[in-house]
Amino acid sequence: MTPTSSGVDERRSLVEEGDWYAVDHPSAVGRVRRAASTSARQLGLSEDRAAEIGLVVSELATNQERHAGSGAILVRVRRTGDHATLEVLAVDSGPGMRDISAAMRDGVSTGGTLGIGLGTLPRLATSWDAWTAPGQGTVIAATFAAPGGANGLAQATGVVRAMTGQDVSGDAFAVRHDDGVPSLMVADGLGHGPLAAAASGAAVRAFLDAPAGTPVALLQRVHGALSGTRGAAVAISQVSGGVLRHAGLGNISGTIHGDRQRGLVSHPGIAGVPGRPLRETTYPVDRGDVVVLHSDGLTNRWSLGDYPGLATRSPLVVSGVLLRDNAVRRDDSSVAVLPVAWSDR
């Protein structure tokens, strides 16, 4: 659903897991370029637009291979109602940049490429955002909207990556808005592989299809929907009027980052398995605070304070940085970010 004629914001956003492409050899540049162009055509974009998207992705990959040594690029689709947007996330742990705005000037080449450097990004992307720092690598996000698609990077979102050796992830996230109130869910299906993915997928469907309600009411719907699956850890956060409401069941970590860092309470249990009554907690939040939810596929030994300026960046960029530095390869990983009144660039 999308905003109605009366102006009521009732969006439901489903983000496909997408595909990660390792960029560790010059040949990888063509592979990820072709993948992005193919995805664009599958969304109904024109051949010319698909070629433009391929050019941007080629420049991002070339920049990683030549200047960072290696990196990874995620290509995926975000669907909001009947609209679709292609999203690209480029992540590396290279030397970083002192002045990313200079690199984004049109005509500044990444080094002899056929394109015209990262200046293609602000010129050809529907929206973009980035974070970089000397010695801390670079993460760049870009969206390419189909006609009528959602354009910006402002809304809550996250990133998912399957554990090494698995084709699908047992982690998932989803976002919904009800009369302007955003709610974010992260689910971690028990175990790994297709059965874990089936559990987290059922959690996403139940969360998006449920009537508007508090996090504990939404969690109750998810809890019931997972009774025929192997179950999942699930957490739901919702921000409205300076208050964060949160309901968690199982091992999903949650924190509020602002003037200080505060942990969110998640109660023992498994969604889909009968247990204790579900409960909800509330926390005061301020404009500019950032709420982060993640599965146990990420370590807890991190702080946004370790990344100068990152808390002001878009949720997709924040998610990309945290996944890059804190995910473990022996488990599915997911991290999602809910900003408190973050405004698009």
Side-chain angles (χ1 to χ4, degrees), residues 37-79:
S37 297
T38 298
S39 295
R41 288 191 293 270
Q42 289 173 343
L43 289 181
L45 300 180
S46 69
E47 287 292 334
D48 287 346
R49 185 56 171 155
E52 290 177 344
I53 293 169
L55 175 60
V56 172
V57 171
S58 178
E59 291 294 345
L60 291 172
T62 298
N63 196 65
Q64 288 183 339
E65 196 274 326
R66 291 190 174 178
H67 302 297
S70 64
I73 293 181
L74 171 65
V75 179
R76 71 184 191 186
V77 174
R78 167 164 48 100
R79 300 185 186 278

mmCIF file of all heavy atoms in Angstrom, residues 37-79:
data_model
loop_
_atom_site.group_PDB
_atom_site.id
_atom_site.type_symbol
_atom_site.label_atom_id
_atom_site.label_comp_id
_atom_site.label_asym_id
_atom_site.label_seq_id
_atom_site.Cartn_x
_atom_site.Cartn_y
_atom_site.Cartn_z
ATOM 1 N N SER A 37 22.444 -4.318 -14.929
ATOM 2 C CA SER A 37 21.696 -3.965 -16.138
ATOM 3 C C SER A 37 20.547 -4.941 -16.370
ATOM 4 O O SER A 37 19.434 -4.532 -16.745
ATOM 5 C CB SER A 37 22.628 -3.956 -17.351
ATOM 6 O OG SER A 37 23.636 -2.971 -17.221
ATOM 7 N N THR A 38 20.797 -6.225 -16.136
ATOM 8 C CA THR A 38 19.736 -7.218 -16.295
ATOM 9 C C THR A 38 18.600 -6.969 -15.310
ATOM 10 O O THR A 38 17.415 -7.040 -15.670
ATOM 11 C CB THR A 38 20.302 -8.631 -16.101
ATOM 12 O OG1 THR A 38 21.288 -8.884 -17.115
ATOM 13 C CG2 THR A 38 19.203 -9.678 -16.192
ATOM 14 N N SER A 39 18.937 -6.688 -14.059
ATOM 15 C CA SER A 39 17.907 -6.394 -13.056
ATOM 16 C C SER A 39 17.090 -5.173 -13.454
ATOM 17 O O SER A 39 15.863 -5.136 -13.272
ATOM 18 C CB SER A 39 18.551 -6.169 -11.686
ATOM 19 O OG SER A 39 19.163 -7.347 -11.210
ATOM 20 N N ALA A 40 17.749 -4.171 -14.006
ATOM 21 C CA ALA A 40 17.037 -2.958 -14.433
ATOM 22 C C ALA A 40 16.043 -3.274 -15.541
ATOM 23 O O ALA A 40 14.900 -2.805 -15.522
ATOM 24 C CB ALA A 40 18.047 -1.909 -14.897
ATOM 25 N N ARG A 41 16.466 -4.074 -16.510
ATOM 26 C CA ARG A 41 15.552 -4.433 -17.596
ATOM 27 C C ARG A 41 14.379 -5.262 -17.080
ATOM 28 O O ARG A 41 13.240 -5.112 -17.545
ATOM 29 C CB ARG A 41 16.313 -5.183 -18.688
ATOM 30 C CG ARG A 41 17.244 -4.292 -19.511
ATOM 31 C CD ARG A 41 17.759 -5.027 -20.740
ATOM 32 N NE ARG A 41 18.650 -6.125 -20.367
ATOM 33 C CZ ARG A 41 19.963 -6.011 -20.228
ATOM 34 N NH1 ARG A 41 20.550 -4.840 -20.416
ATOM 35 N NH2 ARG A 41 20.698 -7.068 -19.915
ATOM 36 N N GLN A 42 14.627 -6.142 -16.110
ATOM 37 C CA GLN A 42 13.550 -6.954 -15.542
ATOM 38 C C GLN A 42 12.519 -6.102 -14.809
ATOM 39 O O GLN A 42 11.362 -6.504 -14.669
ATOM 40 C CB GLN A 42 14.145 -8.004 -14.597
ATOM 41 C CG GLN A 42 14.904 -9.098 -15.326
ATOM 42 C CD GLN A 42 15.633 -10.035 -14.389
ATOM 43 O OE1 GLN A 42 15.847 -9.731 -13.207
ATOM 44 N NE2 GLN A 42 16.044 -11.185 -14.895
ATOM 45 N N LEU A 43 12.917 -4.917 -14.337
ATOM 46 C CA LEU A 43 11.976 -3.989 -13.703
ATOM 47 C C LEU A 43 11.214 -3.162 -14.728
ATOM 48 O O LEU A 43 10.369 -2.350 -14.362
ATOM 49 C CB LEU A 43 12.717 -3.051 -12.750
ATOM 50 C CG LEU A 43 13.254 -3.677 -11.463
ATOM 51 C CD1 LEU A 43 13.944 -2.618 -10.606
ATOM 52 C CD2 LEU A 43 12.141 -4.354 -10.679
ATOM 53 N N GLY A 44 11.528 -3.357 -16.005
ATOM 54 C CA GLY A 44 10.829 -2.625 -17.058
ATOM 55 C C GLY A 44 11.497 -1.332 -17.452
ATOM 56 O O GLY A 44 10.909 -0.533 -18.203
ATOM 57 N N LEU A 45 12.720 -1.086 -16.985
ATOM 58 C CA LEU A 45 13.438 0.119 -17.379
ATOM 59 C C LEU A 45 13.936 -0.030 -18.818
ATOM 60 O O LEU A 45 14.159 -1.135 -19.304
ATOM 61 C CB LEU A 45 14.602 0.383 -16.431
ATOM 62 C CG LEU A 45 14.221 0.596 -14.958
ATOM 63 C CD1 LEU A 45 15.463 0.840 -14.125
ATOM 64 C CD2 LEU A 45 13.237 1.751 -14.800
ATOM 65 N N SER A 46 14.129 1.085 -19.468
ATOM 66 C CA SER A 46 14.523 1.071 -20.870
ATOM 67 C C SER A 46 15.958 0.574 -21.020
ATOM 68 O O SER A 46 16.743 0.542 -20.065
ATOM 69 C CB SER A 46 14.416 2.482 -21.456
ATOM 70 O OG SER A 46 15.406 3.327 -20.881
ATOM 71 N N GLU A 47 16.308 0.206 -22.250
ATOM 72 C CA GLU A 47 17.674 -0.228 -22.534
ATOM 73 C C GLU A 47 18.668 0.883 -22.216
ATOM 74 O O GLU A 47 19.753 0.626 -21.679
ATOM 75 C CB GLU A 47 17.803 -0.657 -23.995
ATOM 76 C CG GLU A 47 17.146 -1.995 -24.311
ATOM 77 C CD GLU A 47 17.870 -3.167 -23.651
ATOM 78 O OE1 GLU A 47 19.092 -3.043 -23.382
ATOM 79 O OE2 GLU A 47 17.230 -4.207 -23.416
ATOM 80 N N ASP A 48 18.309 2.126 -22.546
ATOM 81 C CA ASP A 48 19.214 3.245 -22.255
ATOM 82 C C ASP A 48 19.408 3.408 -20.757
ATOM 83 O O ASP A 48 20.537 3.631 -20.285
ATOM 84 C CB ASP A 48 18.656 4.539 -22.849
ATOM 85 C CG ASP A 48 18.781 4.594 -24.365
ATOM 86 O OD1 ASP A 48 19.531 3.760 -24.923
ATOM 87 O OD2 ASP A 48 18.126 5.453 -24.985
ATOM 88 N N ARG A 49 18.311 3.295 -19.994
ATOM 89 C CA ARG A 49 18.435 3.449 -18.543
ATOM 90 C C ARG A 49 19.221 2.288 -17.952
ATOM 91 O O ARG A 49 20.046 2.485 -17.047
ATOM 92 C CB ARG A 49 17.042 3.525 -17.906
ATOM 93 C CG ARG A 49 17.041 3.808 -16.404
ATOM 94 C CD ARG A 49 17.786 5.066 -16.069
ATOM 95 N NE ARG A 49 17.615 5.447 -14.672
ATOM 96 C CZ ARG A 49 18.488 6.197 -14.002
ATOM 97 N NH1 ARG A 49 19.600 6.617 -14.602
ATOM 98 N NH2 ARG A 49 18.256 6.527 -12.737
ATOM 99 N N ALA A 50 18.998 1.082 -18.450
ATOM 100 C CA ALA A 50 19.764 -0.068 -17.971
ATOM 101 C C ALA A 50 21.256 0.115 -18.242
ATOM 102 O O ALA A 50 22.101 -0.249 -17.408
ATOM 103 C CB ALA A 50 19.253 -1.346 -18.638
ATOM 104 N N ALA A 51 21.587 0.698 -19.393
ATOM 105 C CA ALA A 51 22.987 0.953 -19.722
ATOM 106 C C ALA A 51 23.586 1.996 -18.782
ATOM 107 O O ALA A 51 24.745 1.882 -18.363
ATOM 108 C CB ALA A 51 23.114 1.409 -21.163
ATOM 109 N N GLU A 52 22.803 3.024 -18.435
ATOM 110 C CA GLU A 52 23.275 4.037 -17.485
ATOM 111 C C GLU A 52 23.557 3.421 -16.122
ATOM 112 O O GLU A 52 24.570 3.719 -15.476
ATOM 113 C CB GLU A 52 22.243 5.155 -17.354
ATOM 114 C CG GLU A 52 22.116 6.034 -18.578
ATOM 115 C CD GLU A 52 21.028 7.082 -18.424
ATOM 116 O OE1 GLU A 52 20.167 6.943 -17.516
ATOM 117 O OE2 GLU A 52 21.031 8.057 -19.208
ATOM 118 N N ILE A 53 22.658 2.564 -15.679
ATOM 119 C CA ILE A 53 22.843 1.899 -14.386
ATOM 120 C C ILE A 53 24.083 1.007 -14.424
ATOM 121 O O ILE A 53 24.881 0.980 -13.479
ATOM 122 C CB ILE A 53 21.588 1.097 -14.017
ATOM 123 C CG1 ILE A 53 20.416 2.060 -13.763
ATOM 124 C CG2 ILE A 53 21.835 0.207 -12.802
ATOM 125 C CD1 ILE A 53 19.072 1.379 -13.641
ATOM 126 N N GLY A 54 24.260 0.308 -15.526
ATOM 127 C CA GLY A 54 25.451 -0.510 -15.683
ATOM 128 C C GLY A 54 26.724 0.308 -15.617
ATOM 129 O O GLY A 54 27.733 -0.122 -15.046
ATOM 130 N N LEU A 55 26.694 1.520 -16.184
ATOM 131 C CA LEU A 55 27.861 2.393 -16.152
ATOM 132 C C LEU A 55 28.195 2.806 -14.722
ATOM 133 O O LEU A 55 29.352 2.767 -14.300
ATOM 134 C CB LEU A 55 27.607 3.628 -17.012
ATOM 135 C CG LEU A 55 28.707 4.709 -16.999
ATOM 136 C CD1 LEU A 55 30.019 4.130 -17.497
ATOM 137 C CD2 LEU A 55 28.276 5.909 -17.832
ATOM 138 N N VAL A 56 27.168 3.189 -13.950
ATOM 139 C CA VAL A 56 27.397 3.581 -12.558
ATOM 140 C C VAL A 56 28.003 2.420 -11.768
ATOM 141 O O VAL A 56 28.986 2.585 -11.035
ATOM 142 C CB VAL A 56 26.081 4.050 -11.904
ATOM 143 C CG1 VAL A 56 26.286 4.266 -10.405
ATOM 144 C CG2 VAL A 56 25.572 5.329 -12.554
ATOM 145 N N VAL A 57 27.409 1.249 -11.908
ATOM 146 C CA VAL A 57 27.887 0.092 -11.158
ATOM 147 C C VAL A 57 29.304 -0.284 -11.600
ATOM 148 O O VAL A 57 30.145 -0.671 -10.775
ATOM 149 C CB VAL A 57 26.914 -1.088 -11.326
ATOM 150 C CG1 VAL A 57 27.491 -2.363 -10.733
ATOM 151 C CG2 VAL A 57 25.584 -0.761 -10.675
ATOM 152 N N SER A 58 29.588 -0.148 -12.877
ATOM 153 C CA SER A 58 30.932 -0.426 -13.379
ATOM 154 C C SER A 58 31.952 0.496 -12.723
ATOM 155 O O SER A 58 33.051 0.062 -12.341
ATOM 156 C CB SER A 58 30.961 -0.257 -14.897
ATOM 157 O OG SER A 58 32.262 -0.482 -15.399
ATOM 158 N N GLU A 59 31.606 1.775 -12.590
ATOM 159 C CA GLU A 59 32.522 2.723 -11.950
ATOM 160 C C GLU A 59 32.723 2.396 -10.474
ATOM 161 O O GLU A 59 33.832 2.476 -9.949
ATOM 162 C CB GLU A 59 32.006 4.156 -12.117
ATOM 163 C CG GLU A 59 32.071 4.680 -13.543
ATOM 164 C CD GLU A 59 33.496 4.839 -14.042
ATOM 165 O OE1 GLU A 59 34.440 4.828 -13.219
ATOM 166 O OE2 GLU A 59 33.694 4.958 -15.263
ATOM 167 N N LEU A 60 31.642 2.015 -9.790
ATOM 168 C CA LEU A 60 31.762 1.644 -8.376
ATOM 169 C C LEU A 60 32.674 0.435 -8.211
ATOM 170 O O LEU A 60 33.544 0.408 -7.327
ATOM 171 C CB LEU A 60 30.381 1.342 -7.795
ATOM 172 C CG LEU A 60 29.422 2.521 -7.639
ATOM 173 C CD1 LEU A 60 28.030 2.024 -7.239
ATOM 174 C CD2 LEU A 60 29.941 3.515 -6.614
ATOM 175 N N ALA A 61 32.486 -0.576 -9.063
ATOM 176 C CA ALA A 61 33.292 -1.790 -8.972
ATOM 177 C C ALA A 61 34.750 -1.520 -9.342
ATOM 178 O O ALA A 61 35.679 -2.030 -8.697
ATOM 179 C CB ALA A 61 32.706 -2.872 -9.875
ATOM 180 N N THR A 62 34.959 -0.722 -10.378
ATOM 181 C CA THR A 62 36.319 -0.388 -10.795
ATOM 182 C C THR A 62 37.043 0.365 -9.688
ATOM 183 O O THR A 62 38.230 0.121 -9.414
ATOM 184 C CB THR A 62 36.293 0.447 -12.081
ATOM 185 O OG1 THR A 62 35.695 -0.320 -13.129
ATOM 186 C CG2 THR A 62 37.700 0.852 -12.496
ATOM 187 N N ASN A 63 36.350 1.278 -9.052
ATOM 188 C CA ASN A 63 36.946 2.030 -7.958
ATOM 189 C C ASN A 63 37.385 1.094 -6.829
ATOM 190 O O ASN A 63 38.465 1.241 -6.252
ATOM 191 C CB ASN A 63 35.939 3.057 -7.438
ATOM 192 C CG ASN A 63 36.591 4.118 -6.588
ATOM 193 O OD1 ASN A 63 37.408 4.901 -7.061
ATOM 194 N ND2 ASN A 63 36.231 4.146 -5.311
ATOM 195 N N GLN A 64 36.552 0.102 -6.525
ATOM 196 C CA GLN A 64 36.913 -0.861 -5.485
ATOM 197 C C GLN A 64 38.142 -1.675 -5.881
ATOM 198 O O GLN A 64 39.092 -1.819 -5.098
ATOM 199 C CB GLN A 64 35.737 -1.807 -5.226
ATOM 200 C CG GLN A 64 34.562 -1.180 -4.499
ATOM 201 C CD GLN A 64 33.466 -2.203 -4.210
ATOM 202 O OE1 GLN A 64 33.392 -3.258 -4.853
ATOM 203 N NE2 GLN A 64 32.620 -1.906 -3.248
ATOM 204 N N GLU A 65 38.121 -2.218 -7.084
ATOM 205 C CA GLU A 65 39.194 -3.122 -7.503
ATOM 206 C C GLU A 65 40.532 -2.399 -7.608
ATOM 207 O O GLU A 65 41.564 -2.939 -7.210
ATOM 208 C CB GLU A 65 38.809 -3.774 -8.840
ATOM 209 C CG GLU A 65 39.628 -4.992 -9.199
ATOM 210 C CD GLU A 65 40.912 -4.612 -9.914
ATOM 211 O OE1 GLU A 65 40.894 -3.618 -10.668
ATOM 212 O OE2 GLU A 65 41.933 -5.307 -9.718
ATOM 213 N N ARG A 66 40.521 -1.174 -8.096
ATOM 214 C CA ARG A 66 41.770 -0.468 -8.337
ATOM 215 C C ARG A 66 42.299 0.266 -7.116
ATOM 216 O O ARG A 66 43.516 0.378 -6.934
ATOM 217 C CB ARG A 66 41.597 0.519 -9.487
ATOM 218 C CG ARG A 66 41.404 -0.160 -10.828
ATOM 219 C CD ARG A 66 41.467 0.810 -11.968
ATOM 220 N NE ARG A 66 41.411 0.117 -13.252
ATOM 221 C CZ ARG A 66 41.401 0.726 -14.429
ATOM 222 N NH1 ARG A 66 41.431 2.044 -14.475
ATOM 223 N NH2 ARG A 66 41.348 0.028 -15.545
ATOM 224 N N HIS A 67 41.421 0.780 -6.300
ATOM 225 C CA HIS A 67 41.872 1.643 -5.201
ATOM 226 C C HIS A 67 41.728 1.007 -3.826
ATOM 227 O O HIS A 67 42.478 1.350 -2.914
ATOM 228 C CB HIS A 67 41.109 2.972 -5.247
ATOM 229 C CG HIS A 67 41.280 3.701 -6.537
ATOM 230 N ND1 HIS A 67 42.503 4.171 -6.977
ATOM 231 C CD2 HIS A 67 40.389 4.033 -7.516
ATOM 232 C CE1 HIS A 67 42.352 4.768 -8.159
ATOM 233 N NE2 HIS A 67 41.087 4.687 -8.506
ATOM 234 N N ALA A 68 40.761 0.094 -3.662
ATOM 235 C CA ALA A 68 40.598 -0.568 -2.366
ATOM 236 C C ALA A 68 41.197 -1.967 -2.366
ATOM 237 O O ALA A 68 41.346 -2.574 -1.308
ATOM 238 C CB ALA A 68 39.121 -0.638 -1.993
ATOM 239 N N GLY A 69 41.528 -2.487 -3.547
ATOM 240 C CA GLY A 69 42.056 -3.837 -3.651
ATOM 241 C C GLY A 69 40.967 -4.873 -3.847
ATOM 242 O O GLY A 69 41.138 -5.838 -4.576
ATOM 243 N N SER A 70 39.833 -4.677 -3.175
ATOM 244 C CA SER A 70 38.692 -5.582 -3.314
ATOM 245 C C SER A 70 37.488 -4.915 -2.659
ATOM 246 O O SER A 70 37.604 -3.870 -2.020
ATOM 247 C CB SER A 70 38.965 -6.941 -2.660
ATOM 248 O OG SER A 70 39.138 -6.784 -1.253
ATOM 249 N N GLY A 71 36.357 -5.539 -2.824
ATOM 250 C CA GLY A 71 35.133 -5.023 -2.218
ATOM 251 C C GLY A 71 33.989 -5.950 -2.552
ATOM 252 O O GLY A 71 34.180 -7.072 -3.037
ATOM 253 N N ALA A 72 32.783 -5.482 -2.283
ATOM 254 C CA ALA A 72 31.583 -6.253 -2.603
ATOM 255 C C ALA A 72 30.479 -5.288 -2.974
ATOM 256 O O ALA A 72 30.409 -4.167 -2.458
ATOM 257 C CB ALA A 72 31.161 -7.117 -1.412
ATOM 258 N N ILE A 73 29.609 -5.737 -3.878
ATOM 259 C CA ILE A 73 28.480 -4.915 -4.318
ATOM 260 C C ILE A 73 27.207 -5.734 -4.223
ATOM 261 O O ILE A 73 27.139 -6.868 -4.714
ATOM 262 C CB ILE A 73 28.689 -4.396 -5.749
ATOM 263 C CG1 ILE A 73 29.858 -3.397 -5.769
ATOM 264 C CG2 ILE A 73 27.412 -3.736 -6.279
ATOM 265 C CD1 ILE A 73 30.144 -2.794 -7.123
ATOM 266 N N LEU A 74 26.219 -5.166 -3.580
ATOM 267 C CA LEU A 74 24.901 -5.775 -3.446
ATOM 268 C C LEU A 74 23.961 -5.153 -4.465
ATOM 269 O O LEU A 74 23.875 -3.919 -4.573
ATOM 270 C CB LEU A 74 24.357 -5.542 -2.029
ATOM 271 C CG LEU A 74 22.897 -5.931 -1.765
ATOM 272 C CD1 LEU A 74 22.702 -7.440 -1.897
ATOM 273 C CD2 LEU A 74 22.459 -5.446 -0.389
ATOM 274 N N VAL A 75 23.262 -5.985 -5.220
ATOM 275 C CA VAL A 75 22.236 -5.531 -6.166
ATOM 276 C C VAL A 75 20.919 -6.168 -5.746
ATOM 277 O O VAL A 75 20.826 -7.398 -5.640
ATOM 278 C CB VAL A 75 22.586 -5.936 -7.614
ATOM 279 C CG1 VAL A 75 21.496 -5.471 -8.578
ATOM 280 C CG2 VAL A 75 23.934 -5.352 -8.018
ATOM 281 N N ARG A 76 19.896 -5.352 -5.508
ATOM 282 C CA ARG A 76 18.622 -5.888 -5.024
ATOM 283 C C ARG A 76 17.478 -4.970 -5.438
ATOM 284 O O ARG A 76 17.701 -3.869 -5.958
ATOM 285 C CB ARG A 76 18.642 -6.038 -3.504
ATOM 286 C CG ARG A 76 18.604 -4.714 -2.760
ATOM 287 C CD ARG A 76 18.716 -4.923 -1.269
ATOM 288 N NE ARG A 76 18.429 -3.688 -0.534
ATOM 289 C CZ ARG A 76 18.562 -3.545 0.781
ATOM 290 N NH1 ARG A 76 18.985 -4.566 1.513
ATOM 291 N NH2 ARG A 76 18.269 -2.393 1.366
ATOM 292 N N VAL A 77 16.259 -5.414 -5.167
ATOM 293 C CA VAL A 77 15.059 -4.658 -5.520
ATOM 294 C C VAL A 77 14.254 -4.385 -4.257
ATOM 295 O O VAL A 77 14.062 -5.279 -3.430
ATOM 296 C CB VAL A 77 14.198 -5.424 -6.546
ATOM 297 C CG1 VAL A 77 12.880 -4.703 -6.807
ATOM 298 C CG2 VAL A 77 14.977 -5.601 -7.848
ATOM 299 N N ARG A 78 13.792 -3.159 -4.120
ATOM 300 C CA ARG A 78 12.864 -2.783 -3.049
ATOM 301 C C ARG A 78 11.506 -2.528 -3.673
ATOM 302 O O ARG A 78 11.381 -1.765 -4.629
ATOM 303 C CB ARG A 78 13.346 -1.531 -2.317
ATOM 304 C CG ARG A 78 12.291 -0.898 -1.410
ATOM 305 C CD ARG A 78 12.885 0.084 -0.416
ATOM 306 N NE ARG A 78 13.799 1.030 -1.007
ATOM 307 C CZ ARG A 78 13.480 2.291 -1.320
ATOM 308 N NH1 ARG A 78 12.251 2.732 -1.130
ATOM 309 N NH2 ARG A 78 14.402 3.111 -1.822
ATOM 310 N N ARG A 79 10.471 -3.179 -3.125
ATOM 311 C CA ARG A 79 9.109 -3.009 -3.627
ATOM 312 C C ARG A 79 8.253 -2.347 -2.553
ATOM 313 O O ARG A 79 8.184 -2.831 -1.419
ATOM 314 C CB ARG A 79 8.515 -4.358 -4.025
ATOM 315 C CG ARG A 79 9.313 -5.051 -5.127
ATOM 316 C CD ARG A 79 8.660 -6.325 -5.616
ATOM 317 N NE ARG A 79 9.525 -7.030 -6.558
ATOM 318 C CZ ARG A 79 9.619 -6.739 -7.849
ATOM 319 N NH1 ARG A 79 8.882 -5.764 -8.357
ATOM 320 N NH2 ARG A 79 10.433 -7.426 -8.644
#
